[in-house]
Amino acid sequence: MTKKLTSSALMLASLLFLLTFGNAKADFPVTVMGPEAPADKRYEYDRAVIELALEKTEAKFGHFTIRDALTGQNTRRALIEASNNKYSNFIIKASMSNDLPESLAIIPFPVDLGIVGYRVAFVSEKNKKALSRVKTLEDLKEFDVIQGLGWLDTRILRHHGFRVRTNAEYQPMFSMAALGRSDLFFRGANELLDEWEAQKDIPGLAFDETVSVYYPLPRFLVTARENRELIERVHEGLLIAYEDGSLQELWEDKYGASIEFANLSSRKIFRLENPFLEGLDPSWQQYVYQVGSELTQ
């Protein structure tokens, strides 16, 4: 027969429960961008840098959990869902422009350190040979470009006179470049190596090694304005991580090999302005990675 607990035993049990669970705070849920396709590694760094910022502020703000949003979303769809706050504390990386939805708050730190502004192209073997003869920006504009639906790159390139078509899906653009259906598929220098390793078996696909187009393209983390704690926490965490060097270590670990592979210093770099940054606080520029200082054209 089970004995009833004495009052002192009940008090002790209650005290142990309070000590163990009484001060526990529910995990802070955060949702990040999932891959758009099985071979898509573009958002691995984003997830890692968000997780780093949350870890740097864990002592102040408490524990957190982090999960991917639905796989298969393109950039435009993700911005809509971030604006609507569809998921708990949904936070994504976006190229900054002066016409982002007003329902979004930006965290003013360029998490890629600006490297994605150095654009290099996937091409067909035929177009790779043709690009080696490019001398001027006008020469380069003779080639048409494919970019993703909702990417700010499309508007920047069109502003400067490039012929640009868009595609809603990420994966098919590699095949379009390989087949010559579009001449150039521009990617960030930091993305080149991972994407080449994932896509190099596509027949006819190559990457250009002679030119790069650069324009300022700060990418900030954005989330719905009502996610005030998330905004404060991630911003604080990013600044801490930059000051102690852990963000730069993460950046180098993820992007260093691709930047070396892109060999930017050996390319003709055509530098363009980004007309969609009007009104943006320029303080982000102090964190940007630079390749040389001379304007090629």
Side-chain angles (χ1 to χ4, degrees), residues 247-265:
L247 189 147
Q248 295 92 315
E249 288 177 11
L250 175 63
W251 184 90
E252 178 66 31
D253 182 62
K254 177 60 180 173
Y255 292 149
S258 187
I259 296 167
E260 184 176 354
F261 184 72
N263 197 13
L264 292 168
S265 61

Side-chain angles (χ1 to χ4, degrees), residues 13-26:
S14 297
L15 179 61
L16 287 171
F17 179 87
L18 287 171
L19 288 172
T20 305
F21 302 106
N23 293 322
K25 185 178 179 180

Side-chain angles (χ1 to χ4, degrees), residues 33 84 169 171 181 280:
M33 188 82 165
N84 296 335
E169 296 182 30
Q171 186 64 39
R181 292 178 181 170
L280 185 64

